[in-house]
Amino acid sequence: MSPLCPILRAAGSLEDYRRDALPAPQRRILRDHLAACAECRGLAAAQDPTMLFARPFSAEELPEEDARRILANVRTAVAFAETERRIRRSSRRRFAGAAAAAAAFGALLLMTPGGGSDRVELAAARPTPSATGDASAAAPSELASRAVQPAALTAETDGLPTDATVYEWSPGAGREEPRVVWIVDRGLDI
Amino acid sequence: MELVYSQRQSRQESAELPDRDLAVRARGGDMVAFETLVTRKTSAVVSLARRIVGNSEDARDVAQMVFLRVWNEIHRYDEKYSLNTWLYRIATNLSIDFLRSSRSRERAHGATLHIVREREESTASDATRNAEDAELARLFETVSGRLSEKQKAAFVLREMQDCETREIAEILGCGESTVRNHLFNARRILRREIGRLFPEFLRGRPLA
C-alpha cells in the first residue's frame, strides 16, 4: 500500500479488510477511498486482485421500460395468486359448511327419539345415484311410513344438481311447526 | 373520477412513506403501497440478482419472482427488522435456487463467454464511475463461475451490497463464522481466477 496515503493508513491494513476484521467505520473509509483514488486502488489490486471489488457499487440503473414491465408482470402474478387464493378459500368454506351440515344432521338424528335405529332406514331411503332425478317421489312416502316419529324426514333432489341431496325434517309432522332443511353434498352424505 | 383521484392521492402519499411503513400497509392488503415498494426496490433487487445469477435477463425474471414471494409472504414480515435484510434474503435465496437449476447454469456459461468477448473489445476510455462499476461487474461475472452459490452470494452481499457479516448470516441462514469462511474461500478462488484470466491486474505487484 502506498506509504504516502494517510487515509488508508488511518483506515487500517488491507489484511484486516480481507480477514473481515475491520470495524464498520474504518471499512467504509477504506472502501470510499479506494473508489476515489485510482493510485491506491491499483496498488491494492496488485497485492490482492479481489480488492478491485472493495468499493461501494451503485445499483444498476434499470431502463424505465424494463422497470414498468417488471411492475406489470408482478401486478398480473399477484392478481392471479389472489384469485387462486380466493378460490381455494371458498372451496374450503364450502367443504367446511357441508361437513358442518352433515354433522348437525347426524347429531339431530341421534337426538331424535329412536333416531339411532332409524339410521339404517334413512340409508335405505337415501336416493341411489341412478334414482337421483326422481327420488322425491319414493323417499317421502317411504319415510312417512317408517321413519322417525313424530318427526317426518324426507329426502329430495328435484331440481338440484345431482351432487347434492336435500333433507327436510319436520318435528311436528302434519302440524304447522318450523321445519329444518339440509342441503348436503353427496360426497359427504352420511 | 373520484376513484381515480383517490388512487392518485394514495400513490402520492405512499411515495413519501419509508420502506417499513409501506411494508406494513402492504401487509394489510394495500396494493398501492406494495406497488410503490416494488417500484422503489426493483433496481436494487435486479442488481443483486444479476450479480448472483450472472445475466440481466434472468435477473429480471428472478426480480419478478422475488416480488411475488414478497406479496405472498408479507404477513410474515416483522417491522422490527430491516425491510432490506428481509428483501435481500428472499432475493438471494431465489437467485441461488435459480443458479442451481441446470438451465441457469447453461445460460451463465454462455453469458460468461459473451462477457469475456465483450471485455476484450471494450476500450480503455471507461473513465466514469458507473462505467467502472459496470466493468468490475462484468469482470466479476467472468471470474465468479467457479464459486459455489453460497460463496458467490456471500461475496456479492459483502463487497457489492456492503452488507454486514451479521446481516449476511441472517440472509443466508447460517452462522457468522460460516459467512467468513465463504468469504475467505471466495477470495481465494477469485484471486486464482483473476490471475489466470486477467493477469494484467497482477502487474506491478510490489511483493510478488
Side-chain angles (χ1 to χ4, degrees):
Chain A
M1 182 54 51
S2 166
L4 302 173
C5 183
I7 297 173
L8 278 190
R9 264 184 295 160
S13 75
L14 291 185
E15 184 54 32
D16 284 347
Y17 181 90
R18 288 199 299 263
R19 283 192 298 114
D20 207 21
L22 277 188
Q26 282 165 267
R27 181 183 151 84
R28 195 157 306 126
I29 293 170
L30 191 142
R31 283 166 64 86
D32 286 346
H33 182 68
L34 285 180
C37 176
E39 191 192 349
C40 284
R41 198 163 59 241
L43 288 167
Q47 274 190 32
D48 180 346
T50 65
M51 290 305 292
L52 285 168
F53 305 110
R55 53 183 280 168
F57 276 71
S58 49
E60 188 176 307
E61 277 306 315
L62 206 60
E64 206 175 306
E65 195 190 326
D66 287 3
R68 261 207 306 272
R69 196 178 307 138
I70 289 174
L71 178 62
N73 289 347
V74 170
R75 198 179 281 156
T76 309
V78 164
F80 186 73
E82 283 301 297
T83 309
E84 242 185 356
R85 198 173 295 156
R86 263 200 299 275
I87 291 170
R88 264 204 311 271
R89 214 180 289 149
S90 86
S91 54
R92 261 204 305 269
R93 256 205 304 269
R94 270 209 309 272
F95 179 85
F105 179 64
L108 269 170
L109 269 184
L110 291 172
M111 285 191 298
T112 308
S117 59
D118 288 331
R119 291 175 72 196
V120 176
E121 290 172 14
L122 174 70
R126 193 171 56 200
T128 59
S130 59
T132 298
D134 56 0
S136 58
S141 57
E142 274 182 50
L143 287 167
S145 61
R146 54 188 165 124
V148 283
Q149 290 298 330
L153 183 65
T154 61
E156 296 176 359
T157 56
D158 263 356
L160 285 168
T162 53
D163 58 351
T165 307
V166 175
Y167 290 103
E168 184 185 323
W169 181 55
S170 310
R175 294 193 302 275
E176 280 194 12
E177 297 235 348
R179 300 180 309 165
V180 182
V181 176
W182 296 271
I183 302 171
V184 180
D185 189 312
R186 178 89 23 85
L188 299 163
D189 207 351
I190 51 173
Chain B
M1 180 69 106
E2 229 170 68
L3 184 67
V4 171
Y5 174 73
S6 137
Q7 276 188 351
R8 195 176 299 151
Q9 202 177 24
S10 173
R11 272 180 212 288
Q12 277 171 355
E13 271 174 26
S14 290
E16 289 158 12
L17 289 173
D19 294 351
R20 221 169 274 210
D21 292 0
L22 285 176
V24 170
R25 283 191 180 200
R27 196 174 57 193
D30 184 341
M31 195 61 191
V32 173
F34 174 69
E35 287 185 4
T36 309
L37 206 55
V38 173
T39 308
R40 199 179 283 177
K41 298 290 172 188
T42 299
S43 284
V45 169
V46 170
S47 287
L48 172 61
R50 184 178 174 225
R51 280 159 194 160
I52 298 176
V53 301
N55 72 72
S56 300
E57 199 189 322
D58 287 344
R60 282 159 174 72
D61 289 347
V62 169
Q64 289 169 28
M65 290 192 280
V66 168
F67 290 119
L68 180 61
R69 177 75 66 88
V70 166
W71 175 257
N72 286 332
E73 304 279 313
I74 194 82
H75 61 280
R76 292 191 184 170
Y77 171 64
D78 185 346
E79 66 265 32
K80 278 187 289 191
Y81 301 102
S82 150
L83 178 80
N84 276 345
T85 304
W86 188 67
L87 188 64
Y88 283 171
R89 180 177 195 152
I90 293 174
T92 305
N93 287 336
L94 286 177
S95 301
I96 288 174
D97 289 349
F98 199 92
L99 199 59
R100 278 181 181 153
S101 75
S102 56
R103 174 177 153 262
S104 179
R105 271 192 195 285
E106 281 164 15
R107 279 205 197 178
H109 181 63
T112 299
L113 292 178
H114 171 71
I115 288 156
V116 171
R117 258 199 318 275
E118 206 174 29
R119 191 182 181 284
E120 283 165 353
E121 288 161 8
S122 73
T123 62
S125 63
D126 295 337
T128 65
R129 175 73 185 278
N130 279 345
E132 277 185 11
D133 278 2
E135 177 76 7
L136 278 175
R138 282 199 294 272
L139 171 69
F140 180 72
E141 282 160 22
T142 310
V143 296
S144 62
R146 303 248 173 208
L147 299 181
S148 76
E149 292 87 4
K150 290 268 171 109
Q151 287 166 351
K152 193 173 184 181
F155 191 83
V156 166
L157 287 166
R158 186 66 173 137
E159 293 298 331
M160 297 173 167
Q161 304 292 134
D162 204 14
C163 292
E164 295 293 329
T165 311
R166 173 188 47 77
E167 237 178 329
I168 301 170
E170 206 176 301
I171 289 169
L172 295 180
C174 59
E176 286 185 37
S177 56
T178 309
V179 172
R180 288 206 182 86
N181 228 3
H182 284 321
L183 288 171
F184 176 82
N185 286 322
R187 279 190 197 287
R188 184 173 50 79
I189 294 167
L190 288 174
R191 220 167 12 239
R192 191 187 65 209
E193 289 300 297
I194 293 173
R196 192 171 66 85
L197 295 169
F198 305 107
E200 66 268 27
F201 285 112
L202 299 174
R203 264 181 228 137
R205 186 173 180 164
L207 301 169

